Amino acid sequence: EKYQEGMAKTRNTFSGKINDLIARYRKVDEDFFEELEEVLITADVGVSTVMDLVEELKMEVKRQKIKDSSEIKDVISEKLVEIYYGEEDKSIQHLQLDGEGLQVILVVGVNGVGKTTSIGKLAHQLKAGGKNVILAAGDTFRAGAIEQLEVWGERADVPVIKHSEGSDPAAVIYDGIKAAKSREADVLICDTAGRLQNKVNLMNELAKVKRVIEREIPGAPHEVLLVLDATTGQNALTQARTFSEATDVTGIVLTKLDGTAKGGIVLAIRNELQIPVKFVGLGEGIDDLQQFDADAFVYGLFS
Ligand code: GDP
């Protein structure tokens, strides 16, 4: 229900436009496809994703001999889901934290996207699922970042390992690992700095943090989650490209989906970057983080 509520803006805009299109065009022809492209691009689905989709749709329309536009909704949903998953196993969209021993999640992203909030929500969710969670305050750069993470730590009722502002993030993460091991935690979630003014420094810092994690726990980090703000549209895609060049991103947390009608960005991210969206943020509250489900998302668009 939360999901439907959070997706309302995208759904209402999108389904409204599609229904309008279908009402105006009885026949599925070139003009119909042209307008459909426009609707999808306006929803931030991404130009190359839209091109792929429309190409597939045209073939499917021929194959199934679809003439009437009212029949095309189901075909669009099917194809969108197909494009979303590609050849991948559907299980890819969930967190992979089932291994032995301490599981480490590294969380990266630019300031303001909702990184701290998402860490708090995720800690809460994992804890509710019976996991013993610890947070490491690796954003030692932004003023107030440590305190903000502590606030979320209190809300989620999980401990936060911290140093003072300006200290070495890799040292904080190292201490986080030590604390997590000695307290036999199940999951350590590591925050990182998100200043993009100095891209090279930021990427070097991330690499150093990652090396510490890899050295201390073989096989870790088990997840590298990149937090992106859905309301920034194509900018989010640019950020995703930058971060995935610097580190192996295993999943996206797409925040503020409740604040945009352009939820199509989910599909663009998956299709253009081959990174699964694992969670979506649908509000500012601690319960407003949902595991992303492409089927529910796409079918929701047409409901
Ligand atoms: P950070 O700088 O990346 O750590 O960003 P914050 O976690 O401080 O979040 C920035 C702002 O975005 C805060 O006001 C959050 O409440 C808000 N925010 C984060 N996630 C969501 C979301 O999913 N939906 C909405 N509406 N707001 C969000």
Side-chain angles (χ1 to χ4, degrees):
E1 196 167 303
K2 263 268 164 66
Y3 188 77
Q4 292 304 327
E5 212 181 283
M7 282 296 301
K9 277 191 188 161
T10 295
R11 192 180 59 247
N12 294 344
T13 307
F14 193 74
S15 67
K17 283 185 179 164
I18 295 275
N19 287 335
D20 171 62
L21 193 61
I22 287 169
R24 281 188 295 112
Y25 285 88
R26 293 303 311 275
K27 259 178 47 206
V28 180
D29 56 14
E30 270 306 314
D31 289 344
F32 174 86
F33 281 120
E34 219 160 90
E35 277 205 44
L36 178 66
E37 278 177 12
E38 233 176 86
V39 170
L40 292 163
I41 288 169
T42 314
D44 257 352
V45 173
V47 177
S48 75
T49 309
V50 172
M51 294 307 158
D52 289 353
L53 174 73
V54 169
E55 207 49 45
E56 295 264 332
L57 279 180
K58 284 181 179 168
M59 285 198 286
E60 202 56 31
V61 162
K62 249 193 208 146
R63 212 176 56 78
Q64 293 189 28
K65 301 194 170 58
I66 292 173
K67 294 213 170 59
D68 198 291
S69 62
S70 63
E71 296 167 60
I72 202 165
K73 261 198 199 178
D74 286 344
V75 187
I76 300 175
S77 327
E78 262 165 49
K79 286 290 157 198
L80 279 174
V81 173
E82 243 178 70
I83 284 184
Y84 184 85
Y85 287 113
E87 306 286 304
E88 305 262 20
D89 186 341
K90 284 192 180 185
S91 69
I92 185 94
Q93 72 185 340
H94 303 314
L95 276 188
Q96 311 287 315
L97 295 179
D98 300 325
E100 285 284 302
L102 177 64
Q103 304 290 300
V104 182
I105 305 175
L106 186 62
V107 184
V108 303
V110 172
N111 282 341
V113 292
K115 192 153 46 76
T116 317
T117 307
S118 299
I119 291 173
K121 291 170 174 175
L122 184 58
H124 171 71
Q125 203 172 95
L126 290 170
K127 189 158 187 206
K131 303 275 190 199
N132 203 334
V133 182
I134 290 187
L135 308 181
D139 184 355
T140 59
F141 187 82
R142 181 167 68 88
I146 300 168
E147 290 75 19
Q148 202 194 339
L149 192 71
E150 283 186 301
V151 169
W152 275 104
E154 264 167 43
R155 281 184 195 147
D157 192 22
V158 302
V160 177
I161 305 303
K162 58 162 188 175
H163 288 187
S164 53
E165 202 179 302
S167 59
D168 178 7
V172 181
I173 302 302
Y174 178 80
D175 275 356
I177 294 169
K178 258 198 347 207
K181 278 181 177 169
S182 74
R183 300 180 200 187
E184 294 182 352
D186 302 304
V187 184
L188 173 70
I189 308 179
C190 305
D191 192 11
T192 59
R195 62 188 191 285
L196 207 57
Q197 294 89 325
N198 193 332
K199 210 159 89 179
V200 176
N201 278 357
L202 176 60
M203 297 306 163
N204 285 342
E205 182 176 309
L206 282 182
K208 189 176 168 198
V209 164
K210 195 151 175 270
R211 275 200 305 277
V212 169
I213 297 171
E214 284 164 351
R215 191 185 67 213
E216 295 304 313
I217 304 170
H222 304 84
E223 290 278 0
V224 179
L225 298 180
L226 170 63
V227 184
L228 298 173
D229 177 343
T231 64
T232 62
Q234 300 300 311
N235 254 339
L237 275 178
T238 309
Q239 285 168 22
R241 283 196 195 95
T242 306
F243 276 94
S244 50
E245 274 163 26
T247 183
D248 295 317
V249 177
T250 60
I252 307 281
V253 179
L254 191 64
T255 63
K256 310 184 197 178
L257 210 51
D258 54 307
T260 178
K262 299 185 167 207
I265 192 78
V266 176
L267 303 169
I269 287 171
R270 178 71 185 90
N271 195 38
E272 289 174 32
L273 301 160
Q274 272 81 50
I275 306 171
V277 175
K278 297 203 171 179
F279 291 96
V280 290
L282 297 166
E284 297 186 279
I286 200 162
D287 290 314
D288 297 332
L289 185 76
Q290 294 271 324
Q291 199 160 292
F292 180 68
D293 179 329
D295 293 82
F297 176 82
V298 167
Y299 286 95
L301 288 180
F302 294 93
S303 62

